[in-house]
Amino acid sequence: MAVSQLASTELLDAYRSMLTVRRFEERVLELRRADAFAGSIHLCAGQEAVPVGALAALDPGDRVVATYRGHGWALACGVPLDALMAEVCQRATGVNGGRGGSAHLMAPEFGLLGENSIVGAGMPIGAGAALAAQVGETGRVVAVSIGDGATSQGATHEALVFAAYRKLPLVVVCENNGWSEMTPIARIVPVADLSARVAGLGIAGVSVDGNDPIAVRDAVTDAAARARAGDGPTFIEARCHRLWAHYNGDAEHYRPAADRDSAQAADPVMSLRRRLAEAGVTEGQVAGLEHEVAVRVDAAARTASSAPAPDAAGAHAHVNVAPAAAGDTGEPPEERELTYGKAVNEALRRELAARPEVVVYGEDVGHAGGIFGVTRSLQEEFGERRVFDMPIAESAILGSAVGAALEGLRPVVEIMWGDFMLVALDQLINQAANVRYVSGGQHGAPLVVRTQQGATPGSCAQHSQSLEALLAHIPGLRIGVPSTPQDAHSMLRAAVADEDPVVLFEARALYQHKQKVKLGGRREGVGGARIRREGGDLAIFSWGPTVLAAEKAANTLAGRGIDAAVVDLRWLAPLDDEAIGAAVQRTNRVLVAHEANLTGGFGAEIAARIGERHFGDLDAPVRRVGAPDVRIPPTPALQGALLPSAASIERAAERLAVED
Ligand SMILES: Cc1ncc(C[n+]2csc(CCOP(=O)(O)OP(=O)(O)O)c2C)c(N)n1
């Protein structure tokens, strides 16, 4: 549309919004320089036309995922000036009570699912929110803002592959400001149009003038229409300039003066001001608007800088909510003999039947029913919309679960082998685990990750690890390690009821184990150890497949007059400290047995807790049995020399029973 054809009110609205962003960023920089708050800030001066243009094209119910350079997106979403300024200034009155700050704030109530300090990480989250829109048929569109540098990220690529495959209602707005921190994008990426990078993915790509809010609005309007029509994602490259440094402490020693000059010359706020005059808006009108914006932003800055810091007493709060309590499934109780794998399948089937918000997905999970057959027949029963295959893209699997959970789905996703989670840990540790804390308890990411782990004959070093301690280290995650068909079933059902992210490490070695499994009736809560064997001489704490070895060892020891209790801890987070304490009090001797290697294994945590809480009660130090600190070879003869077994547990317990 030619300038003269644009209504002056439309231009004035855009000018007001862009100027608000610019003034906001100026005040933020001043406040930071005055030490009104701490840390780095990444300001969006020069890029205001992108969020303002994009939001002009979106509907009120649509969603936005932004980056650390996201103040403009937050303002365009309608996050109130005062609450936003206070958050940037790390105040109690901030939109997240000072827990998000400039780079990691969120306001889903205004459609802003969050900023992100991890480059590219918002992409899978946005794809997950788009998945929720598609599954829930809400008609919503999700816009994700990324930088040019983020186009090289694996998470970005994975999310695009996923969005193209599922035709998700996703609009990616790539703000190409020419710089990836201190490196020009042109030096890294050998294509002039970043939008060309998505052509091979089957995604529509366009490049537009990101200095022009109307051009951005029009591109997003087309993309949103395509998304709402079910035609899938669009990638929009909005070419713009970074007017200021990458962050407040950046002296830009690497940036040629000419580049800075061209950014100044293209200043979108000044350009739009000139266009206002061409469209017949008087200088008086413009000056009035500018005064009004300055007054509002200055007031927000004043209010924020005099607002109180968050109360330090609350610093511990909102890591998790209380674990899911026991409840009633509403299903008639019954008992069936099931394998461990089938018990998981039955839990998924019942959750899919009971809760329309449950979706189940992962690699080979849909049509084929999983490489171990655990999800077999679920797609036939519940349809391709709720049970589906994923690309080989673990960041997309885990990250989309975060976005989908934020938007009301209950994703239960499968990571085929625990070892594969390592390629996508960002989405669990930096994303899922953070949501509740950063939002001051206002939002959560209730999702379940099922995976399987451990060594079996022939499994190589990249398919054998026991990684539970790695994730149990992360505040915000719940970790379960079921050792029986019953627990594989019950713990999964409890996990789906939980309001926080749960990772369940199933035991591949046990998938064919059979047991009578109680189904329906009462649903367990999350947490709680299980006493597998009573005993007064010593207590063996264990979890996962090692519990079986511990039981076998205890039975043998009983024949020799040593009475060992076996406690299956089941949940490492939340950990059943009461059960640990009770077993310590009864026996005064503790052995921890796990398959993972010892250094930094979860046994070390248990030993430390017992040391801190029960030191005077112990008759001997806490002893541990686990793999030595080596890699796991596939060869059974070598595995046998490394992995804990009933025999090694038995030997350790026998020594411990007589230790002074
Ligand atoms: C995964 C990850 N790698 C590196 C960084 C450090 N880092 C922060 S911003 C940035 C530049 C990103 O450039 P771009 O995507 O173009 O966005 P812009 O900063 O220009 O908005 C880098 C490398 C990070 N935060 N996350």
Side-chain angles (χ1 to χ4, degrees), residues 207-239:
S207 295
V208 299
D209 179 2
N211 295 316
D212 178 356
I214 308 301
V216 174
R217 182 203 63 189
D218 291 348
V220 174
T221 300
D222 291 349
R226 196 174 301 128
R228 280 189 238 280
D231 293 334
T234 303
F235 180 98
I236 300 168
E237 176 195 20
R239 290 194 180 136

PDB file of all heavy atoms in Angstrom, residues 207-239:
ATOM      1  N   SER A 207      11.163 -12.171   2.798  1.00  0.00           N
ATOM      2  CA  SER A 207      12.011 -11.153   3.414  1.00  0.00           C
ATOM      3  C   SER A 207      11.325  -9.805   3.248  1.00  0.00           C
ATOM      4  O   SER A 207      10.854  -9.489   2.155  1.00  0.00           O
ATOM      5  CB  SER A 207      13.384 -11.122   2.727  1.00  0.00           C
ATOM      6  OG  SER A 207      14.048 -12.337   2.961  1.00  0.00           O
ATOM      7  N   VAL A 208      11.248  -9.049   4.335  1.00  0.00           N
ATOM      8  CA  VAL A 208      10.578  -7.747   4.272  1.00  0.00           C
ATOM      9  C   VAL A 208      11.437  -6.679   4.938  1.00  0.00           C
ATOM     10  O   VAL A 208      12.384  -6.993   5.670  1.00  0.00           O
ATOM     11  CB  VAL A 208       9.188  -7.762   4.965  1.00  0.00           C
ATOM     12  CG1 VAL A 208       8.256  -8.751   4.290  1.00  0.00           C
ATOM     13  CG2 VAL A 208       9.311  -8.064   6.453  1.00  0.00           C
ATOM     14  N   ASP A 209      11.054  -5.430   4.693  1.00  0.00           N
ATOM     15  CA  ASP A 209      11.743  -4.302   5.316  1.00  0.00           C
ATOM     16  C   ASP A 209      11.288  -4.199   6.776  1.00  0.00           C
ATOM     17  O   ASP A 209      10.175  -3.763   7.060  1.00  0.00           O
ATOM     18  CB  ASP A 209      11.396  -3.022   4.540  1.00  0.00           C
ATOM     19  CG  ASP A 209      12.064  -1.798   5.159  1.00  0.00           C
ATOM     20  OD1 ASP A 209      12.814  -1.959   6.153  1.00  0.00           O
ATOM     21  OD2 ASP A 209      11.821  -0.681   4.652  1.00  0.00           O
ATOM     22  N   GLY A 210      12.156  -4.598   7.667  1.00  0.00           N
ATOM     23  CA  GLY A 210      11.811  -4.590   9.083  1.00  0.00           C
ATOM     24  C   GLY A 210      11.863  -3.212   9.715  1.00  0.00           C
ATOM     25  O   GLY A 210      11.587  -3.063  10.910  1.00  0.00           O
ATOM     26  N   ASN A 211      12.190  -2.185   8.933  1.00  0.00           N
ATOM     27  CA  ASN A 211      12.112  -0.815   9.449  1.00  0.00           C
ATOM     28  C   ASN A 211      10.722  -0.233   9.251  1.00  0.00           C
ATOM     29  O   ASN A 211      10.430   0.859   9.738  1.00  0.00           O
ATOM     30  CB  ASN A 211      13.123   0.083   8.719  1.00  0.00           C
ATOM     31  CG  ASN A 211      14.540  -0.347   9.012  1.00  0.00           C
ATOM     32  OD1 ASN A 211      14.870  -0.629  10.154  1.00  0.00           O
ATOM     33  ND2 ASN A 211      15.362  -0.420   7.972  1.00  0.00           N
ATOM     34  N   ASP A 212       9.910  -0.961   8.502  1.00  0.00           N
ATOM     35  CA  ASP A 212       8.596  -0.441   8.116  1.00  0.00           C
ATOM     36  C   ASP A 212       7.502  -1.267   8.806  1.00  0.00           C
ATOM     37  O   ASP A 212       7.271  -2.429   8.452  1.00  0.00           O
ATOM     38  CB  ASP A 212       8.470  -0.545   6.585  1.00  0.00           C
ATOM     39  CG  ASP A 212       7.107  -0.081   6.088  1.00  0.00           C
ATOM     40  OD1 ASP A 212       6.238   0.240   6.928  1.00  0.00           O
ATOM     41  OD2 ASP A 212       6.911  -0.072   4.857  1.00  0.00           O
ATOM     42  N   PRO A 213       6.825  -0.675   9.786  1.00  0.00           N
ATOM     43  CA  PRO A 213       5.831  -1.459  10.530  1.00  0.00           C
ATOM     44  C   PRO A 213       4.694  -1.955   9.636  1.00  0.00           C
ATOM     45  O   PRO A 213       4.087  -2.991   9.913  1.00  0.00           O
ATOM     46  CB  PRO A 213       5.309  -0.465  11.581  1.00  0.00           C
ATOM     47  CG  PRO A 213       5.630   0.888  11.044  1.00  0.00           C
ATOM     48  CD  PRO A 213       6.887   0.729  10.235  1.00  0.00           C
ATOM     49  N   ILE A 214       4.438  -1.213   8.585  1.00  0.00           N
ATOM     50  CA  ILE A 214       3.328  -1.616   7.711  1.00  0.00           C
ATOM     51  C   ILE A 214       3.734  -2.836   6.881  1.00  0.00           C
ATOM     52  O   ILE A 214       2.945  -3.776   6.702  1.00  0.00           O
ATOM     53  CB  ILE A 214       2.896  -0.449   6.783  1.00  0.00           C
ATOM     54  CG1 ILE A 214       2.625   0.821   7.626  1.00  0.00           C
ATOM     55  CG2 ILE A 214       1.691  -0.828   5.943  1.00  0.00           C
ATOM     56  CD1 ILE A 214       1.562   0.689   8.693  1.00  0.00           C
ATOM     57  N   ALA A 215       4.977  -2.853   6.422  1.00  0.00           N
ATOM     58  CA  ALA A 215       5.464  -4.017   5.662  1.00  0.00           C
ATOM     59  C   ALA A 215       5.470  -5.254   6.552  1.00  0.00           C
ATOM     60  O   ALA A 215       5.080  -6.348   6.118  1.00  0.00           O
ATOM     61  CB  ALA A 215       6.870  -3.738   5.127  1.00  0.00           C
ATOM     62  N   VAL A 216       5.892  -5.080   7.803  1.00  0.00           N
ATOM     63  CA  VAL A 216       5.906  -6.213   8.738  1.00  0.00           C
ATOM     64  C   VAL A 216       4.471  -6.663   8.992  1.00  0.00           C
ATOM     65  O   VAL A 216       4.160  -7.861   8.949  1.00  0.00           O
ATOM     66  CB  VAL A 216       6.603  -5.835  10.065  1.00  0.00           C
ATOM     67  CG1 VAL A 216       6.478  -6.965  11.081  1.00  0.00           C
ATOM     68  CG2 VAL A 216       8.072  -5.485   9.822  1.00  0.00           C
ATOM     69  N   ARG A 217       3.592  -5.688   9.239  1.00  0.00           N
ATOM     70  CA  ARG A 217       2.187  -6.035   9.499  1.00  0.00           C
ATOM     71  C   ARG A 217       1.611  -6.835   8.336  1.00  0.00           C
ATOM     72  O   ARG A 217       0.952  -7.862   8.533  1.00  0.00           O
ATOM     73  CB  ARG A 217       1.376  -4.750   9.702  1.00  0.00           C
ATOM     74  CG  ARG A 217      -0.082  -5.001  10.030  1.00  0.00           C
ATOM     75  CD  ARG A 217      -0.945  -3.812   9.674  1.00  0.00           C
ATOM     76  NE  ARG A 217      -0.923  -3.553   8.228  1.00  0.00           N
ATOM     77  CZ  ARG A 217      -1.443  -2.488   7.641  1.00  0.00           C
ATOM     78  NH1 ARG A 217      -2.009  -1.549   8.370  1.00  0.00           N
ATOM     79  NH2 ARG A 217      -1.389  -2.340   6.326  1.00  0.00           N
ATOM     80  N   ASP A 218       1.874  -6.397   7.116  1.00  0.00           N
ATOM     81  CA  ASP A 218       1.291  -7.084   5.960  1.00  0.00           C
ATOM     82  C   ASP A 218       1.839  -8.506   5.833  1.00  0.00           C
ATOM     83  O   ASP A 218       1.096  -9.443   5.535  1.00  0.00           O
ATOM     84  CB  ASP A 218       1.551  -6.283   4.679  1.00  0.00           C
ATOM     85  CG  ASP A 218       0.756  -4.975   4.667  1.00  0.00           C
ATOM     86  OD1 ASP A 218      -0.150  -4.829   5.537  1.00  0.00           O
ATOM     87  OD2 ASP A 218       1.040  -4.106   3.820  1.00  0.00           O
ATOM     88  N   ALA A 219       3.124  -8.662   6.061  1.00  0.00           N
ATOM     89  CA  ALA A 219       3.715 -10.011   5.956  1.00  0.00           C
ATOM     90  C   ALA A 219       3.142 -10.927   7.032  1.00  0.00           C
ATOM     91  O   ALA A 219       2.830 -12.100   6.773  1.00  0.00           O
ATOM     92  CB  ALA A 219       5.236  -9.918   6.087  1.00  0.00           C
ATOM     93  N   VAL A 220       2.986 -10.390   8.235  1.00  0.00           N
ATOM     94  CA  VAL A 220       2.448 -11.224   9.322  1.00  0.00           C
ATOM     95  C   VAL A 220       0.968 -11.509   9.078  1.00  0.00           C
ATOM     96  O   VAL A 220       0.473 -12.607   9.381  1.00  0.00           O
ATOM     97  CB  VAL A 220       2.703 -10.562  10.697  1.00  0.00           C
ATOM     98  CG1 VAL A 220       2.031 -11.349  11.819  1.00  0.00           C
ATOM     99  CG2 VAL A 220       4.206 -10.458  10.965  1.00  0.00           C
ATOM    100  N   THR A 221       0.260 -10.561   8.505  1.00  0.00           N
ATOM    101  CA  THR A 221      -1.158 -10.794   8.183  1.00  0.00           C
ATOM    102  C   THR A 221      -1.286 -11.984   7.232  1.00  0.00           C
ATOM    103  O   THR A 221      -2.100 -12.892   7.451  1.00  0.00           O
ATOM    104  CB  THR A 221      -1.782  -9.536   7.529  1.00  0.00           C
ATOM    105  OG1 THR A 221      -1.663  -8.464   8.460  1.00  0.00           O
ATOM    106  CG2 THR A 221      -3.249  -9.747   7.181  1.00  0.00           C
ATOM    107  N   ASP A 222      -0.465 -12.006   6.191  1.00  0.00           N
ATOM    108  CA  ASP A 222      -0.506 -13.124   5.235  1.00  0.00           C
ATOM    109  C   ASP A 222      -0.142 -14.432   5.926  1.00  0.00           C
ATOM    110  O   ASP A 222      -0.776 -15.464   5.719  1.00  0.00           O
ATOM    111  CB  ASP A 222       0.494 -12.899   4.087  1.00  0.00           C
ATOM    112  CG  ASP A 222       0.049 -11.753   3.183  1.00  0.00           C
ATOM    113  OD1 ASP A 222      -1.106 -11.295   3.323  1.00  0.00           O
ATOM    114  OD2 ASP A 222       0.876 -11.303   2.352  1.00  0.00           O
ATOM    115  N   ALA A 223       0.911 -14.369   6.737  1.00  0.00           N
ATOM    116  CA  ALA A 223       1.385 -15.595   7.403  1.00  0.00           C
ATOM    117  C   ALA A 223       0.335 -16.119   8.381  1.00  0.00           C
ATOM    118  O   ALA A 223       0.097 -17.328   8.468  1.00  0.00           O
ATOM    119  CB  ALA A 223       2.691 -15.302   8.140  1.00  0.00           C
ATOM    120  N   ALA A 224      -0.294 -15.201   9.110  1.00  0.00           N
ATOM    121  CA  ALA A 224      -1.302 -15.625  10.090  1.00  0.00           C
ATOM    122  C   ALA A 224      -2.510 -16.230   9.375  1.00  0.00           C
ATOM    123  O   ALA A 224      -3.088 -17.223   9.845  1.00  0.00           O
ATOM    124  CB  ALA A 224      -1.723 -14.440  10.956  1.00  0.00           C
ATOM    125  N   ALA A 225      -2.857 -15.663   8.229  1.00  0.00           N
ATOM    126  CA  ALA A 225      -3.996 -16.208   7.469  1.00  0.00           C
ATOM    127  C   ALA A 225      -3.657 -17.627   6.998  1.00  0.00           C
ATOM    128  O   ALA A 225      -4.487 -18.541   7.084  1.00  0.00           O
ATOM    129  CB  ALA A 225      -4.307 -15.305   6.272  1.00  0.00           C
ATOM    130  N   ARG A 226      -2.423 -17.795   6.530  1.00  0.00           N
ATOM    131  CA  ARG A 226      -1.984 -19.124   6.086  1.00  0.00           C
ATOM    132  C   ARG A 226      -2.033 -20.103   7.271  1.00  0.00           C
ATOM    133  O   ARG A 226      -2.511 -21.227   7.148  1.00  0.00           O
ATOM    134  CB  ARG A 226      -0.553 -19.015   5.550  1.00  0.00           C
ATOM    135  CG  ARG A 226      -0.103 -20.192   4.729  1.00  0.00           C
ATOM    136  CD  ARG A 226       1.273 -19.957   4.117  1.00  0.00           C
ATOM    137  NE  ARG A 226       1.314 -18.794   3.260  1.00  0.00           N
ATOM    138  CZ  ARG A 226       2.201 -17.802   3.348  1.00  0.00           C
ATOM    139  NH1 ARG A 226       3.146 -17.834   4.255  1.00  0.00           N
ATOM    140  NH2 ARG A 226       2.151 -16.782   2.535  1.00  0.00           N
ATOM    141  N   ALA A 227      -1.547 -19.654   8.404  1.00  0.00           N
ATOM    142  CA  ALA A 227      -1.520 -20.521   9.595  1.00  0.00           C
ATOM    143  C   ALA A 227      -2.938 -20.908  10.001  1.00  0.00           C
ATOM    144  O   ALA A 227      -3.226 -22.075  10.275  1.00  0.00           O
ATOM    145  CB  ALA A 227      -0.816 -19.801  10.745  1.00  0.00           C
ATOM    146  N   ARG A 228      -3.834 -19.927  10.017  1.00  0.00           N
ATOM    147  CA  ARG A 228      -5.211 -20.208  10.456  1.00  0.00           C
ATOM    148  C   ARG A 228      -5.952 -21.090   9.454  1.00  0.00           C
ATOM    149  O   ARG A 228      -6.863 -21.829   9.817  1.00  0.00           O
ATOM    150  CB  ARG A 228      -5.982 -18.899  10.667  1.00  0.00           C
ATOM    151  CG  ARG A 228      -5.669 -18.243  12.010  1.00  0.00           C
ATOM    152  CD  ARG A 228      -6.604 -17.076  12.308  1.00  0.00           C
ATOM    153  NE  ARG A 228      -5.862 -15.834  12.506  1.00  0.00           N
ATOM    154  CZ  ARG A 228      -5.248 -15.499  13.635  1.00  0.00           C
ATOM    155  NH1 ARG A 228      -5.293 -16.297  14.670  1.00  0.00           N
ATOM    156  NH2 ARG A 228      -4.591 -14.357  13.726  1.00  0.00           N
ATOM    157  N   ALA A 229      -5.518 -21.031   8.215  1.00  0.00           N
ATOM    158  CA  ALA A 229      -6.173 -21.858   7.196  1.00  0.00           C
ATOM    159  C   ALA A 229      -5.649 -23.299   7.221  1.00  0.00           C
ATOM    160  O   ALA A 229      -6.078 -24.137   6.429  1.00  0.00           O
ATOM    161  CB  ALA A 229      -5.946 -21.247   5.814  1.00  0.00           C
ATOM    162  N   GLY A 230      -4.690 -23.564   8.098  1.00  0.00           N
ATOM    163  CA  GLY A 230      -4.155 -24.931   8.198  1.00  0.00           C
ATOM    164  C   GLY A 230      -3.027 -25.189   7.220  1.00  0.00           C
ATOM    165  O   GLY A 230      -2.668 -26.348   6.970  1.00  0.00           O
ATOM    166  N   ASP A 231      -2.470 -24.104   6.660  1.00  0.00           N
ATOM    167  CA  ASP A 231      -1.411 -24.286   5.667  1.00  0.00           C
ATOM    168  C   ASP A 231      -0.003 -24.231   6.276  1.00  0.00           C
ATOM    169  O   ASP A 231       0.982 -24.199   5.538  1.00  0.00           O
ATOM    170  CB  ASP A 231      -1.550 -23.246   4.546  1.00  0.00           C
ATOM    171  CG  ASP A 231      -2.818 -23.493   3.733  1.00  0.00           C
ATOM    172  OD1 ASP A 231      -3.260 -24.674   3.702  1.00  0.00           O
ATOM    173  OD2 ASP A 231      -3.381 -22.541   3.171  1.00  0.00           O
ATOM    174  N   GLY A 232       0.084 -24.164   7.577  1.00  0.00           N
ATOM    175  CA  GLY A 232       1.380 -24.326   8.235  1.00  0.00           C
ATOM    176  C   GLY A 232       2.168 -23.053   8.447  1.00  0.00           C
ATOM    177  O   GLY A 232       1.647 -21.938   8.309  1.00  0.00           O
ATOM    178  N   PRO A 233       3.426 -23.240   8.793  1.00  0.00           N
ATOM    179  CA  PRO A 233       4.247 -22.115   9.249  1.00  0.00           C
ATOM    180  C   PRO A 233       4.769 -21.236   8.117  1.00  0.00           C
ATOM    181  O   PRO A 233       4.846 -21.664   6.966  1.00  0.00           O
ATOM    182  CB  PRO A 233       5.431 -22.815   9.924  1.00  0.00           C
ATOM    183  CG  PRO A 233       5.553 -24.124   9.229  1.00  0.00           C
ATOM    184  CD  PRO A 233       4.164 -24.528   8.838  1.00  0.00           C
ATOM    185  N   THR A 234       5.147 -20.018   8.500  1.00  0.00           N
ATOM    186  CA  THR A 234       5.818 -19.092   7.580  1.00  0.00           C
ATOM    187  C   THR A 234       7.036 -18.539   8.304  1.00  0.00           C
ATOM    188  O   THR A 234       6.989 -18.316   9.525  1.00  0.00           O
ATOM    189  CB  THR A 234       4.891 -17.909   7.212  1.00  0.00           C
ATOM    190  OG1 THR A 234       3.696 -18.440   6.647  1.00  0.00           O
ATOM    191  CG2 THR A 234       5.550 -16.958   6.212  1.00  0.00           C
ATOM    192  N   PHE A 235       8.080 -18.325   7.560  1.00  0.00           N
ATOM    193  CA  PHE A 235       9.294 -17.717   8.108  1.00  0.00           C
ATOM    194  C   PHE A 235       9.426 -16.337   7.477  1.00  0.00           C
ATOM    195  O   PHE A 235       9.517 -16.209   6.255  1.00  0.00           O
ATOM    196  CB  PHE A 235      10.504 -18.590   7.755  1.00  0.00           C
ATOM    197  CG  PHE A 235      11.813 -18.064   8.275  1.00  0.00           C
ATOM    198  CD1 PHE A 235      12.359 -18.548   9.452  1.00  0.00           C
ATOM    199  CD2 PHE A 235      12.517 -17.094   7.571  1.00  0.00           C
ATOM    200  CE1 PHE A 235      13.579 -18.078   9.929  1.00  0.00           C
ATOM    201  CE2 PHE A 235      13.739 -16.617   8.039  1.00  0.00           C
ATOM    202  CZ  PHE A 235      14.272 -17.110   9.222  1.00  0.00           C
ATOM    203  N   ILE A 236       9.414 -15.304   8.308  1.00  0.00           N
ATOM    204  CA  ILE A 236       9.545 -13.935   7.803  1.00  0.00           C
ATOM    205  C   ILE A 236      10.884 -13.368   8.254  1.00  0.00           C
ATOM    206  O   ILE A 236      11.154 -13.298   9.461  1.00  0.00           O
ATOM    207  CB  ILE A 236       8.402 -13.038   8.350  1.00  0.00           C
ATOM    208  CG1 ILE A 236       7.045 -13.587   7.912  1.00  0.00           C
ATOM    209  CG2 ILE A 236       8.591 -11.594   7.890  1.00  0.00           C
ATOM    210  CD1 ILE A 236       5.868 -12.936   8.640  1.00  0.00           C
ATOM    211  N   GLU A 237      11.695 -12.991   7.299  1.00  0.00           N
ATOM    212  CA  GLU A 237      12.927 -12.286   7.647  1.00  0.00           C
ATOM    213  C   GLU A 237      12.607 -10.793   7.624  1.00  0.00           C
ATOM    214  O   GLU A 237      12.234 -10.254   6.580  1.00  0.00           O
ATOM    215  CB  GLU A 237      14.041 -12.580   6.631  1.00  0.00           C
ATOM    216  CG  GLU A 237      15.308 -11.785   6.908  1.00  0.00           C
ATOM    217  CD  GLU A 237      16.294 -11.771   5.735  1.00  0.00           C
ATOM    218  OE1 GLU A 237      15.873 -12.048   4.589  1.00  0.00           O
ATOM    219  OE2 GLU A 237      17.473 -11.472   5.976  1.00  0.00           O
ATOM    220  N   ALA A 238      12.717 -10.147   8.777  1.00  0.00           N
ATOM    221  CA  ALA A 238      12.469  -8.706   8.848  1.00  0.00           C
ATOM    222  C   ALA A 238      13.829  -8.024   8.945  1.00  0.00           C
ATOM    223  O   ALA A 238      14.512  -8.120   9.977  1.00  0.00           O
ATOM    224  CB  ALA A 238      11.602  -8.374  10.054  1.00  0.00           C
ATOM    225  N   ARG A 239      14.237  -7.372   7.874  1.00  0.00           N
ATOM    226  CA  ARG A 239      15.579  -6.769   7.851  1.00  0.00           C
ATOM    227  C   ARG A 239      15.565  -5.440   8.583  1.00  0.00           C
ATOM    228  O   ARG A 239      14.795  -4.536   8.247  1.00  0.00           O
ATOM    229  CB  ARG A 239      16.012  -6.555   6.410  1.00  0.00           C
ATOM    230  CG  ARG A 239      16.295  -7.864   5.735  1.00  0.00           C
ATOM    231  CD  ARG A 239      17.031  -7.652   4.447  1.00  0.00           C
ATOM    232  NE  ARG A 239      17.283  -8.938   3.854  1.00  0.00           N
ATOM    233  CZ  ARG A 239      17.125  -9.213   2.577  1.00  0.00           C
ATOM    234  NH1 ARG A 239      16.707  -8.272   1.747  1.00  0.00           N
ATOM    235  NH2 ARG A 239      17.384 -10.399   2.109  1.00  0.00           N
TER     236      ARG A 239
END
